[in-house]
Amino acid sequence: MSTTSTVLDSGIRELARNRWMLAYATGFFVLTESLFWFQGTGPQVLLSLLNVLLLVIPLVSLVFGAMYIYSSREFIELLLAQPIARRDLFLGHFMGLALPLAGAFAVGAGLPFALHAGAGAGFGGVAVLLSAGIGLSVACAAIAVAIALYSDDRLRGVGMAIGAWLLLTVLYDAGLLAIAVSFDAWPLEKPMIALMMANPVDIARGLVLTQLDAPAMMGYTGALFRRSFGSALGTVIAATALAIWIAAPFAIAGRRFRRRDF
Amino acid sequence: MMQAPVRSAVLLAALAVARPGAATEIVVAPGSAVPTLAAALARAKPGDRIVVQAGRYAEPTITVSVPRLVIEGRGWPEFTGSGNHTVLIVAADSVTVRGLALTGSGFAATDDRAGLLVRDARDCVIEQNRVYENAFGIYLSRSVGCLVRDNQVEATRGNEFTTGNAIHLWYSPATRVVRNHVRGHRDGIYFEFSASSAAEENEVIAVTRYGLHFMYSDSCRYENNTFTGNGAGVTVMYSHHVVIRGNRFTDAVGPAAYGLLLKEIIDGEVSGNDFTGNTVGVSLDGAMRLDIRGNAFTRNGFAVRVSGSAGDNRFTGNRFAGNAFDVVTSAKFSTSTFDRNWWDNYRGYDLDRDGIGDVPFRPVRLFGLVIEQHPPALLLLRSPLVGILDTVERVMPVLTPNTLVDEHPLMHPPRE
Amino acid sequence: MISFHEIRKAYGDRRVLEGVSLDVAPGRVTALVGPNGSGKTTLMKILLGLARADAGEVKVNGTPLDATGSYRNAIGYMPQAAAFPEHLKVRELVELVSALRAGAARDTDLVESFGLGSEWERPVGKLSGGTRQKVNAAIAFLFRPSILIMDEPTAGLDPVAAGVLRTRVRRERDDGRLVIVTSHVLSELEDLADDVAFLCDGLLRFTGSMGQLLSQTETSRMEDAIVTLMRASANGTAARATPGMAAAQ
């Protein structure tokens, strides 16, 4: 096995037995299952799930991700003393965090849909919601790793992760709302859609909205929105933007990992 | 006043002369002695029966001017307007047209061509016809008391500008439009200046503009129809005392699409309808004193939109589930009221177990107000930020209209 | 043979190593000692490639360190803190490191001497601190490295295990391997070390054999010798027995 897959394998083994991770997956399972219980229909469950995952995935991926990097630091030093390249070690270490995070969500939230055969939620809606959640998990994990590798102070790093969470989930949208309210004489849809593409949480939300809130999103604003997120080209652009949100922090963190002193 | 009885007597005499067989049956068939419907009509007397055998008939516009005729097709004989004229005109009273296929009126900007035009007639029956690819399908003009039933009316090739309406009533009161299937065309069912009419159990699918469109038609009933996937949904205007009951309004999606847009509809009833998957479920624009009860609003973008000019409408016993917004309004003060509705967003409790929540429900979200005034903010739909804002507003209502409160929200959805 | 040449390293404004030159010979156990913050750990991290020197050069057997890290095939490292992922089993941990050193010979003597067989399927997080340190040592010795670097190796080990480890270190030395050890427990080093390198404030204050250390400081115990050296370095006089340890042999 290559260095990357060996380290990835141990990361998955470690996190698959981590109780926080198990609680995270179980939490999504219980939540989704109880949503089916109380709300019944698949589309309703998807919407309620969206509300939760937009907050919880960034929170867990950022904060747990940063803490995981800090807690595995001595172990990484031991691995670095082995005859392996840092690049490979970093890739394995990152994926060993990101894949369990994404997998815990996908399995926890996805399993009830499989058990209920969708319950009226179209395959497309479920697939987009799960994909968006997975993409968001990996993007936030990458941001967390970058934060943890740049800040040696654990407390400060976790604080920054929480700050990033607030910024991405609430403050950024507050800025968008301020723009929408302040400049309403201007044609704002296009700039606002562009700004949404610059925030992974908004990208994930946008991708899911086109599937789940189609009626609301067919108004004038929504028509542009659907073209941006819902059309084939728009989906590709939004997915690319999310991929950049994975690749950029990953590259920044990787560069730091290759160059820094441990 | 003496004229009508005298005329009846003359008619009776004519019938008597026509015996035996009470009425003559004339058979039209291609290549026979009576090869065209026009030829049959030329020899028909009032009350005669014309049977048209299957085949294709390309005749100039055929005009029925003999009253009480029954024209009946066998195997849907097809009459075509060859793309340049109205196919069939009924211009006599009490005529029945049944079982014909009418097609190919063609479109002209200068005149309203139709598959079947009923003009200045009373009490005609238009049933079981197939009317397709015409500008207008069935057009009733200045006619009274007709029945349009069980027809299929389709025109899917044109666009909004090259097709007319499927079933079109113009100054034709007391008409009943029943169980027709409409697809394509511009408007599905159109009533103008046609009071005391009714549309029942029709199915209107995928027309380019309005599934149902009426104006200046008081005291009409619209019951148990289905309007689905129509370009702009349903718009009804400028009418009093209409009853809209038991219909399904679904999948009207688009920037100007409404499950049901009620524009200056006054003193009416909207009950037992099903609004599902529309951009806007019901929009009240200048609508007054409507009784809106027992409807189901499911998975709409905006279930109910109340404009500032709407007033004194009563929403009771409705069921709201899965809508992005239950109620939006641009009005600071509203005189419309909500009472005893079921809201899936209601999070209250019922300590005395009387089935009514102990805490009032405010269906207007702060975010709903924001997007009414700043439409681009819709892009923030389902943002966690919006959830926070709505929660704050719900706890400390400052901006949402105080009057738009359901004081008695139901704990369980009402039976449909 | 490992040779450090004029190694300098600063973390921001804090200068940790200010030109350290040191040759470490095979077949000997070298104690790297000095007060906290003197730069011992940094020097070892530079050797392992965990940190990079600002200036100077490290050669292992005459070859400068390279970025691929293949020179680390020769090195067994026993870090101070045995901080392993707590849910990995001992077996999985050993397999992980083995997979990273595909093809290397495996030597499980220490696993057996420490009696780790019975802990083989237990998660690391469930082990006692001492057992974890045994695992740590076992991994360092697993691949018959020609260079052993041990940071506080006996911390947390019971006296029996510490004895096993010391015996093993001596055997490695007698087989011609190069061993670098740091420890706060100077009495333990006294027993084990052939050579001593004393770092203080980023500078090497003494290099030489244990005998030279004691005779030069006119003490009989290493602890007293180090105290003397620290006083001396506080007065600014560097003690240096010979130019380098290799010459000391």
Side-chain angles (χ1 to χ4, degrees), chain C:
Chain C
M1 167 73 101
I2 297 171
S3 52
F4 298 91
H5 179 70
E6 281 297 307
I7 302 294
R8 293 178 182 279
K9 178 71 184 177
Y11 291 106
D13 292 338
R14 200 163 60 85
R15 287 182 291 180
V16 180
L17 297 173
E18 302 192 72
V20 171
S21 296
L22 173 66
D23 290 341
V24 186
R28 297 181 74 79
V29 174
T30 302
L32 189 57
V33 293
N36 283 336
S38 61
K40 305 185 298 275
T41 302
T42 302
L43 196 63
M44 282 198 284
K45 283 186 169 178
I46 288 171
L47 169 60
L48 289 163
L50 295 180
R52 285 175 179 75
D54 299 332
E57 191 178 44
V58 184
K59 286 182 179 169
V60 175
N61 297 328
T63 312
L65 305 188
D66 64 343
T68 68
S70 58
Y71 72 95
R72 288 195 290 263
N73 274 309
I75 300 179
Y77 174 48
M78 182 176 171
Q80 182 174 355
F84 307 119
E86 55 181 301
H87 298 290
L88 289 189
K89 296 169 183 168
V90 175
R91 172 179 55 77
E92 290 172 324
L93 193 61
V94 170
E95 285 171 357
L96 163 64
V97 183
S98 302
L100 297 178
R101 297 209 183 215
R106 278 179 64 174
D107 173 359
T108 52
D109 274 5
L110 208 49
V111 173
E112 283 146 31
S113 314
F114 283 145
L116 286 174
S118 60
E119 315 283 352
W120 209 232
E121 293 297 330
R122 291 187 69 197
V124 175
K126 294 257 195 287
L127 304 179
S128 69
T131 310
R132 226 175 300 167
Q133 193 68 352
K134 289 179 191 171
V135 174
N136 193 10
I139 287 175
F141 283 85
L142 198 57
F143 308 100
R144 299 199 154 279
S146 58
I147 298 169
L148 272 162
I149 298 171
M150 310 170 80
D151 201 352
E152 304 280 349
T154 56
L157 284 183
D158 60 74
V160 177
V164 167
L165 187 59
R166 275 198 297 273
T167 307
R168 177 63 192 261
V169 168
R170 285 195 195 96
R171 206 180 87 200
E172 295 293 326
R173 177 201 50 202
D174 296 345
D175 287 351
R177 307 228 152 82
L178 184 157
V179 184
I180 300 177
V181 185
T182 71
S183 178
H184 286 102
V185 190
L186 294 177
S187 57
E188 176 183 297
L189 287 177
E190 186 167 19
D191 208 21
L192 195 63
D194 305 305
D195 294 328
V196 177
F198 175 69
L199 263 174
C200 191
D201 297 331
L203 288 169
L204 263 184
R205 304 291 183 170
F206 174 87
T207 56
S209 69
M210 184 64 78
Q212 286 170 325
L213 175 69
L214 297 180
S215 64
Q216 185 173 330
T217 54
E218 295 168 357
T219 54
S220 56
R221 288 171 57 223
M222 188 180 178
E223 204 166 337
D224 298 333
I226 297 299
V227 170
T228 308
L229 284 179
M230 285 179 71
R231 287 213 190 95
S233 53
N235 296 334
T237 52
R240 183 160 296 220
T242 55
M245 272 194 234
Q249 291 177 327

Side-chain angles (χ1 to χ4, degrees), chain B residues 52 118 240 266 329 349 381 385 391:
Chain B
V52 185
V118 180
H240 294 244
I266 296 167
T329 180
Y349 45 84
L381 180 61
L385 170 77
T391 306

Side-chain angles (χ1 to χ4, degrees), chain A residues 85-214:
Chain A
R86 285 193 178 193
R87 178 187 299 272
D88 300 339
L89 173 56
F90 177 69
L91 183 60
H93 192 39
F94 170 71
M95 291 202 303
L97 166 67
L99 295 189
L101 272 172
F105 158 73
V107 171
L111 201 56
F113 283 96
L115 293 176
H116 295 264
F123 176 77
V126 179
V128 167
L129 182 98
L130 293 182
S131 309
I134 289 168
L136 190 57
S137 300
V138 179
C140 289
I143 296 169
V145 174
I147 289 173
L149 287 176
Y150 269 92
S151 169
D152 280 336
D153 183 340
R154 290 174 192 221
L155 209 57
R156 191 160 152 261
V158 171
M160 283 168 70
I162 292 171
W165 172 69
L166 271 177
L167 178 68
L168 294 178
T169 53
V170 176
L171 298 180
Y172 192 89
D173 284 358
L176 285 184
L177 184 62
I179 291 172
V181 171
S182 311
F183 300 97
D184 64 352
W186 301 73
L188 283 177
E189 279 85 357
K190 280 182 187 170
M192 280 186 62
I193 288 168
L195 286 172
M196 278 180 71
M197 295 282 188
N199 175 349
V201 179
D202 280 338
I203 297 169
R205 185 169 60 82
L207 281 170
V208 177
L209 279 189
T210 57
Q211 293 290 322
L212 302 186
D213 271 311

Side-chain angles (χ1 to χ4, degrees), chain B residues 172-327:
Chain B
S172 296
T175 304
R176 288 183 66 212
V177 178
V178 182
R179 277 196 310 275
N180 299 285
H181 290 263
V182 173
R183 182 180 279 274
H185 280 284
R186 183 176 59 198
D187 291 348
I189 298 173
Y190 180 98
F191 287 10
E192 189 169 3
F193 305 115
S194 299
S196 305
S197 294
E200 297 162 24
E201 296 175 49
N202 300 285
E203 187 176 72
V204 182
I205 300 171
V207 301
T208 53
R209 203 171 67 178
Y210 302 119
L212 170 68
H213 188 189
F214 68 74
M215 55 185 112
Y216 310 114
S217 297
D218 296 341
S219 306
C220 289
R221 284 183 303 113
Y222 306 87
E223 293 187 70
N224 303 322
N225 301 287
T226 296
F227 303 99
T228 188
N230 299 309
V234 167
T235 293
V236 301
M237 307 188 268
Y238 315 121
S239 304
H240 294 244
H241 297 99
V242 296
V243 173
I244 298 175
R245 187 186 291 152
N247 303 285
R248 299 188 63 228
F249 301 89
T250 68
D251 301 314
V253 287
Y258 303 90
L260 176 60
L261 169 62
L262 298 155
K263 187 168 172 60
E264 301 196 23
I265 300 290
I266 296 167
D267 287 323
E269 171 190 326
V270 177
S271 65
N273 300 287
D274 178 5
F275 299 89
T276 301
N278 306 290
T279 294
V280 179
V282 169
S283 183
L284 304 178
D285 186 357
M288 306 282 283
R289 297 193 296 273
L290 295 181
D291 191 4
I292 299 167
R293 68 182 133 84
N295 303 286
F297 297 90
T298 312
R299 290 200 312 278
N300 301 285
F302 307 81
V304 173
R305 172 179 265 155
V306 184
S307 79
S309 55
D312 295 327
N313 302 290
R314 297 172 305 279
F315 288 84
T316 53
N318 299 289
R319 179 180 189 280
F320 292 83
N323 305 294
F325 298 89
D326 288 328
V327 179

